[in-house]
Amino acid sequence: MIDPLASLSSSSTHEVESVDRRRVEMPWGARSEKTIELWKEKALSRANIHEQTAYNKKKLHKILGIIAISTPLVFAICSQFILEGNEGYFKNKISAIGFSVSSIVTGIFTFLNLETAMFRHFEYAAKYEEYAIHLMSELTKPKAHRTPCDVFLKECELRLIFIEENAPS
């Protein structure tokens, strides 16, 4: 049996024939450019959706946060100064209602975890925008200087799949 690596390292002048053949690249055409344009529009659309969702979660985070912080303060003040002369009956009721409302709002605030969701949506909005910029930058180059079409299409398809699979809903 002949070892192909041994023949390469030997000092003989025999040429070793390569098994690799020249690969024919897929040419850039209107169809592939249209596909890339569709992917770009899809990415920009999803970036806008994620950005809007992030802003909505930010707004809700602020509202629930203000309620969660202010509810105990308001009810503490109410229990101290309102209806002070009724032997503590109303004072205890107000305190109980206040702390119940406060714990419910704080529980919802914690359960929804809006801050983390907001940051993830902002992150994926940026990833979709970056992906769209990557597509646009390749299409602006002259065809002779572009990455081979089939390689670029596969790379972009895999990148889009990765982003979509990990994006928050």
Side-chain angles (χ1 to χ4, degrees):
M1 185 167 144
I2 301 174
D3 183 15
L5 294 177
S7 65
L8 286 176
S9 62
S10 68
S11 60
S12 67
T13 57
H14 291 72
E15 290 280 327
V16 176
E17 212 173 294
S18 175
V19 211
D20 295 336
R21 294 201 173 96
R22 184 159 171 82
R23 183 174 87 71
V24 179
E25 295 175 356
M26 179 179 163
W28 281 91
R31 184 174 162 202
S32 56
E33 289 178 354
K34 186 176 179 182
T35 302
I36 292 172
E37 283 291 330
L38 288 173
W39 287 347
K40 180 189 79 162
E41 294 304 318
K42 182 180 179 180
L44 290 175
S45 168
R46 293 206 175 153
N48 289 335
I49 290 169
H50 279 286
E51 196 165 344
Q52 269 312 113
T53 305
Y55 281 119
N56 291 340
K57 291 195 183 289
K58 183 177 183 178
K59 218 181 290 182
L60 190 58
H61 181 289
K62 284 181 181 179
I63 291 169
L64 283 177
I66 289 171
I67 293 172
I69 291 170
S70 63
T71 304
L73 296 173
V74 169
F75 280 103
I77 291 170
C78 287
S79 68
Q80 288 296 319
F81 297 112
I82 297 177
L83 304 168
E84 199 169 287
N86 292 327
E87 289 121 24
Y89 176 73
F90 289 113
K91 187 175 183 180
N92 292 338
K93 292 281 188 192
I94 290 174
S95 292
I97 291 170
F99 289 120
S100 297
V101 169
S102 175
S103 65
I104 289 170
V105 171
T106 304
I108 292 170
F109 184 73
T110 305
F111 178 73
L112 292 178
N113 200 7
L114 295 168
E115 187 175 7
T116 304
M118 175 187 66
F119 285 124
R120 282 187 47 90
H121 281 288
F122 276 131
E123 176 188 358
Y124 275 87
K127 284 184 180 186
Y128 276 116
E129 286 174 359
E130 179 185 325
Y131 175 73
I133 290 170
H134 176 67
L135 295 175
M136 286 187 288
S137 68
E138 190 68 26
L139 289 179
T140 57
K141 296 177 188 175
K143 289 183 181 181
H145 300 291
R146 291 181 186 171
T147 306
C149 183
D150 51 348
V151 173
F152 186 72
L153 285 172
K154 185 49 87 176
E155 171 200 337
C156 292
E157 179 185 18
L158 293 174
R159 192 169 172 184
L160 181 61
I161 289 170
F162 178 76
I163 293 172
E164 287 176 345
E165 284 180 352
N166 296 312
S169 55

